[in-house]
Amino acid sequence: MNKLITKLVIHGTIILFIVFLLFPILWVVSSSLKPTQEIYSGAPTILPQQITLDHYRTVVDGQQLFRSMWNSVIVGAISTLLVILLAVPSAYAMVRYKSMVNNAILGWILVSQIFPVILVMIPLYVMLRYIGLTDSLTGLTLIYVVWSLPFVLWMMHGYVKSIPIELEEAAVIDGASRSQVIITVLTPLLLPAIGASALFAFISAWNEFFFALVLMKSPALATLQVELARYTGMEGQARTGPLAAASVIATIPSMILFISLRKWFTTGLVSGALKG
Amino acid sequence: MTDTKKAHTLYSKKELGQLQLLMPVILLVTVFSLLPLLRGIYLGFTDYRLGDPIAFNGIDNYIQLFQDEYFWSSFRIGMIWTVVVTALQVSLGLGLALLLNTKIRFTAFYTILILIPWATPPIIRGILWRQMYEPNAGAINILLTDVGVISAPINWLSSFEYVIPAVIVAGVWGEISKAAIFLMAGLQTISNDLYEASTIDGAGIWDQFWNITIPVLKPVLAAIVSLTFMWNFNTFGIIWVLTQGGPGGLTRLPMLAAYEEGFRYGYIGYAAAIGNVMVIILSLILFMYIRVQLRERNES
């Protein structure tokens, strides 16, 4: 009997936490489905009384938001591709050749985390302006590559380390060159790691706000996060419904990522902390 | 160990090969990360404004910062925000992790639900809470009016009285999941034998928490506290959406202050100086953390 009560208390407390954590999301999903007059009726209910997809239609039809979403997809996809192309051979080189360069790179990965982005952003902005890459998707892509590279390299380094060297030796004895080893032996074994890192890199770019805010000035080039933040400014009031709908759409990619990668996220950080 | 040796015999003749493979990364990191960072630190000692020539001005920026009331209030709110959000996030996260680590059903299902706020991009978190705090159509005012706590709607995000607690609630909301998930993984490394043995010895739940859970969890806890501290100190997006630093600069965190000085008013040198002070504060805190860690390691 006593045990049953303890269990009920535990379930109850967890559910209270979950109510707090999910309520704002429920509220916005619900707003995204309510007709505008219901949102401003003075006494809106938690669940919509009348369901409409109008706000979602507005978002999809509205060129501006759709274009910003497309910008985010392009910047995210290209920077992800580049990060992976850079990280796989580099991680291989760091694991298979032992030299001082490795420690320098790993050290840099850690140190670079301490510095606030503002300190990097200021000179980077001056430099990109000089070569004409501010207010350009190319410039933003470049920044995202450099920005997610440390973490992806760190992940990849760990994965390559776990691959036994015997497989490569066999290939070398058969006469394979170094690039053949990377492409035919290493890459297939790394596919799950590549998938995880690619998702991570894509979502970092998809969610990023500060660099995009500083760099992208013309409305046509805004990324999704910048566009959404703009709607909360002056003209924010009238747009509650479409803004709610856009927020729901914008959250879906990261939701999928987090739920599929949650095991990886936790084990990575904790083993690092225990070793350190 | 054997791997290292084999790697040596297999690859030793190609030491240049490593540099070839690493060259793109080294170049990219040097040009777009290392040099800009060094340059950024240097700019903090100049009076640089966009378009003007750069002139070194020693510690002038820091003397000015020292006398700048906006700077002090920004760092004060920055510290309040960072300490309160980190403390609430880690303690609530630990509570949640402990509850989820008990032998009950549905924990996998609960965990997925708990992940959802963390999976929400910072800008969207801001939008969610703006809609929650909306004076006339927001859930908070409606619920509080229904329960009878307030009689007139409160404009949470423009009120000098309520804005700080309001943004802190929104900030903590998005960060609890992260702490809970990391701490859960830490708790799972604690062997059950320890608890069973102490139960036989007659220890209560409270004793077990202080004598087993906390000591074993300490390295993970310390790592999470210092990481979240750094992240929270650098918060930008969610506050930008919620208040843009207002009302009256009351929620102007250091990153917002640096952004405004640098990219709104064009005082690049001054903004870089704010960045430098942020680095010094973070390094001091990390240094203290490492010292405590080392001291404990030597004692044990």
Side-chain angles (χ1 to χ4, degrees), chain B residues 90-120:
Chain B
V90 174
S91 49
L92 290 175
L94 180 60
L96 197 50
L98 286 169
L99 290 171
L100 285 169
N101 201 42
T102 50
K103 285 186 195 114
I104 54 163
R105 299 171 65 170
F106 312 125
T107 47
F109 173 66
Y110 289 151
T111 310
I112 288 186
L113 293 181
I114 283 161
L115 270 171
I116 290 175
W118 184 18
T120 312

Side-chain angles (χ1 to χ4, degrees), chain A residues 7 10-11 13-15 17-18 20-25 27-28 31 39-40 42-44 46 86-87 89-99 101-102 105 108 112-129 131 142 145-146 149 153 161 163-166 168-169 172 178 181-182 206-207 209-210 213-214 217 225 228-229 232-233 236-237 239-241 243-244 246-247 250-251 254-255 258-259 262 265-267 269-270 273-276, chain B residues 3-4 6-11 14-22 24-26 28-29 31-34 36-37 39-41 43 48 50-51 92 95-96 99-100 102-106 108 110-124 127-132 134 136-139 142-143 169 173 176-177 181-182 185-186 189 216 219-220 223-224 227 230-231 234 236-237 240-241 255 258-259 263 268 271-272 275-276 278-279 282-283 286 293 297:
Chain A
K7 274 193 176 168
I10 293 173
H11 279 288
T13 321
I14 294 174
I15 289 167
F17 262 111
I18 289 176
F20 169 61
L21 292 177
L22 294 193
F23 186 80
I25 293 178
W27 180 253
V28 168
S31 296
I39 295 176
Y40 289 103
I46 292 174
L86 285 166
S90 308
Y92 165 82
M94 286 170 70
V95 173
R96 295 302 186 226
Y97 300 85
K98 311 286 159 187
S99 80
V101 184
N102 295 340
I105 292 179
W108 169 249
S112 64
Q113 304 303 307
I114 301 176
F115 293 91
V117 284
I118 185 85
L119 218 48
V120 186
M121 193 58 225
I122 289 170
L124 212 49
Y125 177 79
V126 176
M127 186 168 95
L128 290 175
R129 215 169 74 121
I131 54 178
L142 191 67
V145 170
V146 180
L149 188 62
L153 195 55
K161 234 179 178 166
I163 293 177
I165 197 168
E166 283 75 12
E168 290 164 35
E169 282 175 326
V172 171
R178 197 183 54 202
V181 167
I182 296 180
W206 180 266
N207 287 357
F209 176 64
F210 184 73
L213 175 75
V214 172
K217 288 300 170 220
Q225 308 296 335
L228 287 174
T232 62
Q237 293 289 330
R239 293 176 184 259
T240 299
L243 189 59
S247 306
T251 310
S254 26
M255 209 65 83
F258 270 73
I259 288 168
R262 73 171 196 286
F265 263 100
T266 52
T267 47
L269 185 112
V270 171
L274 290 176
K275 272 180 221 144
Chain B
D3 266 6
T4 316
K6 273 182 195 157
H8 199 68
T9 53
L10 184 58
Y11 293 108
K14 306 178 193 164
E15 296 233 307
L16 270 177
Q18 186 197 23
L19 279 180
Q20 269 172 25
L21 282 172
L22 284 175
V25 166
I26 293 176
L28 208 65
V29 164
V31 174
F32 292 100
S33 184
L34 181 62
L37 188 64
R39 180 97 178 140
I41 295 172
L43 285 177
Y48 186 42
L50 267 188
L92 290 175
L96 197 50
L99 290 171
L100 285 169
T102 50
K103 285 186 195 114
I104 54 163
R105 299 171 65 170
F106 312 125
Y110 289 151
T111 310
I112 288 186
L113 293 181
I114 283 161
L115 270 171
I116 290 175
W118 184 18
T120 312
I123 295 302
I124 312 283
I127 294 173
L128 293 180
W129 281 93
R130 263 181 83 105
Q131 301 206 343
M132 291 285 287
E134 224 273 322
N136 301 311
I142 291 166
L143 288 177
V169 168
W173 174 85
I176 291 178
S177 325
I181 300 288
F182 285 152
T189 63
V216 178
V220 179
I224 287 169
L227 277 175
M230 286 201 303
W231 291 331
N234 289 324
F236 183 81
W240 178 266
V241 171
M255 269 292 282
Y259 170 82
F263 295 106
I268 297 282
N276 282 339
M278 289 172 74
V279 175
L282 281 181
S283 319
L286 280 183
Q293 286 281 90
R297 203 155 289 183

Side-chain angles (χ1 to χ4, degrees), chain B residues 42 82 88 100 166 227:
Chain B
Y42 167 71
T82 309
L88 286 175
L100 285 169
L227 277 175

Side-chain angles (χ1 to χ4, degrees), chain B residues 207-268:
Chain B
D207 295 328
Q208 289 182 340
F209 177 72
W210 285 111
N211 298 327
I212 301 175
T213 313
I214 289 294
V216 178
L217 208 57
K218 222 171 196 175
V220 179
L221 212 51
I224 287 169
V225 169
S226 46
L227 277 175
T228 50
F229 194 93
M230 286 201 303
W231 291 331
N232 291 333
F233 194 62
N234 289 324
T235 302
F236 183 81
I238 186 175
I239 299 291
W240 178 266
V241 171
L242 282 173
T243 62
Q244 292 229 348
L250 216 56
T251 57
R252 199 162 163 260
L253 298 184
M255 269 292 282
L256 278 98
Y259 170 82
E260 281 186 351
E261 294 291 353
F263 295 106
R264 186 167 286 175
Y265 308 130
Y267 295 114
I268 297 282

